[in-house]
Amino acid sequence: MMSEYCFGIDVGGTTIKLGCFMTDGTLLEKWEIPTRLEEQGKYILSDAAGEVKRVIRERGLTNEQVCGVGLAVPGPVNDEGEASQAVNLHWGYKHLVRELGDMLNLPVCAANDANAAALGELWQGAGKGCRNMIMVTLGTGVGGGIIVNGKIVAGEHGAAGEIGHACVEPSETAVCNCGNHGCLEQMASATGIVRLARMELSGCEEKSLLRAQEVTAKHVFDAYKQQDALAGRVVEKFAQYLGNALSIYACVVDPGRIVIGGGVSKAGDVLIEPIRKYYERDAFPACKGTPIVLAELGNDAGIYGSAKLVLP
């Protein structure tokens, strides 16, 4: 019997998102359950396995009809499906593929959540039709995923794609969450944009829409859309850091597309143009024309990508 179904699981610190798919990429249903973090997250995998078993039972499927289950988690995952740690889930070392596979008696694949989101966008989102892609997620931090020849690049330690922790400002004295200084995350995340805005505001007396409120990344881009000069300078600085970093990554990957996702991407197309300007200024000539586009799958990218892990 041909396997027609697969499941994607995206584990976050608050909720576990799950999706049941046809192998052609059709999403049949999606749902979420709370992430139980108590006792060092010991219930997370068993809760997810229970949900998959429930849906298999309710749909009247057999295990032979399910080609596998993909799992995305917040932390480094190597090619063998081992997580060295997942701090947000209170996990130390876990052999994810073995543990979940034993619970389900199904093939299991696992990946870092940002890498899985990138694979999801490649499969059914903004990167559809590409074989090589870089995805950047701009949220509280800066995450990313690198896809080469249709496959996630995980690296020796499962840390490939941690593009937010490249040093883009060597003179920076503030410490990043990773312990280093001058990381892209400090300049291009939502919190980084706020930090750039506060520095700009404190350095002058110029009138700005940003002075009348508690500054957020959204406020910066809203003010930028209204031609606020100070907000414009903040966006230019942000875009220069990110555009330059993307030009460097492109020299290594030569992507067919660069996809921008995460909460900051909700600013829309106004976000893309300044990034593209600096990217094209600095990119290797063969890579200058690489399209930079907004992600399309939103919060579903992780379940799409994790499901794709188990498909050819």
Side-chain angles (χ1 to χ4, degrees), residues 14 28 51 89 94 105 119 129 142 144 176 184 204 218 248 261 295:
T14 304
L28 299 175
E51 289 295 303
L89 305 180
K94 260 191 182 306
N105 195 29
L119 187 61
V142 174
C176 178
L184 180 63
C204 69
K218 181 180 185 301
I248 295 169

Side-chain angles (χ1 to χ4, degrees), residues 118-150:
L119 187 61
E121 289 287 346
L122 184 90
W123 185 34
Q124 296 293 333
K128 195 169 186 178
C130 289
R131 294 286 294 167
N132 303 284
M133 191 188 89
I134 295 171
M135 182 171 175
V136 184
T137 54
L138 306 175
T140 305
V142 174
I146 296 171
I147 311 295
V148 173
N149 292 329

Side-chain angles (χ1 to χ4, degrees), residues 8-200:
I9 302 169
D10 183 12
V11 180
T14 304
T15 62
I16 302 172
K17 300 178 179 65
L18 302 100
C20 177
F21 294 82
M22 301 292 289
T23 54
D24 66 359
T26 302
L27 177 61
L28 299 175
E29 65 175 297
K30 63 177 181 175
W31 70 104
E32 58 184 61
I33 60 172
T35 304
R36 292 202 286 162
L37 298 174
E38 55 264 39
E39 297 183 55
Q40 285 71 55
K42 68 179 288 186
Y43 304 109
I44 292 172
L45 291 183
S46 58
D47 285 352
E51 289 295 303
V52 171
K53 289 177 180 177
R54 176 183 64 79
V55 172
I56 288 174
R57 184 175 64 250
E58 290 177 356
R59 286 184 171 271
L61 306 177
T62 65
N63 274 20
E64 288 71 30
Q65 289 175 280
V66 180
C67 68
V69 177
L71 175 69
V73 301
V77 180
N78 67 18
D79 287 333
E80 303 301 316
E82 300 169 288
S84 55
Q85 66 173 352
V87 176
N88 292 345
L89 305 180
H90 307 312
W91 284 351
Y93 169 84
K94 260 191 182 306
H95 200 306
L96 301 169
V97 166
R98 183 187 302 142
E99 288 191 37
L100 188 59
D102 288 347
M103 293 175 189
L104 291 170
N105 195 29
L106 285 167
V108 171
C109 294
N112 165 266
D113 55 357
N115 288 342
L119 187 61
E121 289 287 346
L122 184 90
W123 185 34
Q124 296 293 333
K128 195 169 186 178
C130 289
R131 294 286 294 167
N132 303 284
M133 191 188 89
I134 295 171
M135 182 171 175
V136 184
T137 54
L138 306 175
T140 305
V142 174
I146 296 171
I147 311 295
V148 173
N149 292 329
K151 301 292 184 184
I152 289 171
V153 177
E156 187 72 20
H157 308 98
E162 289 287 353
I163 61 181
H165 296 290
C167 180
V168 298
E169 185 51 82
S171 64
E172 180 58 61
T173 57
V175 181
C176 178
N177 289 332
C178 74
N180 289 336
H181 300 259
C183 291
L184 180 63
E185 181 167 297
Q186 293 179 276
M187 311 298 172
S189 64
T191 49
I193 292 166
V194 169
R195 185 165 163 269
L196 292 175
R198 287 175 177 161
M199 290 168 62
E200 196 70 34

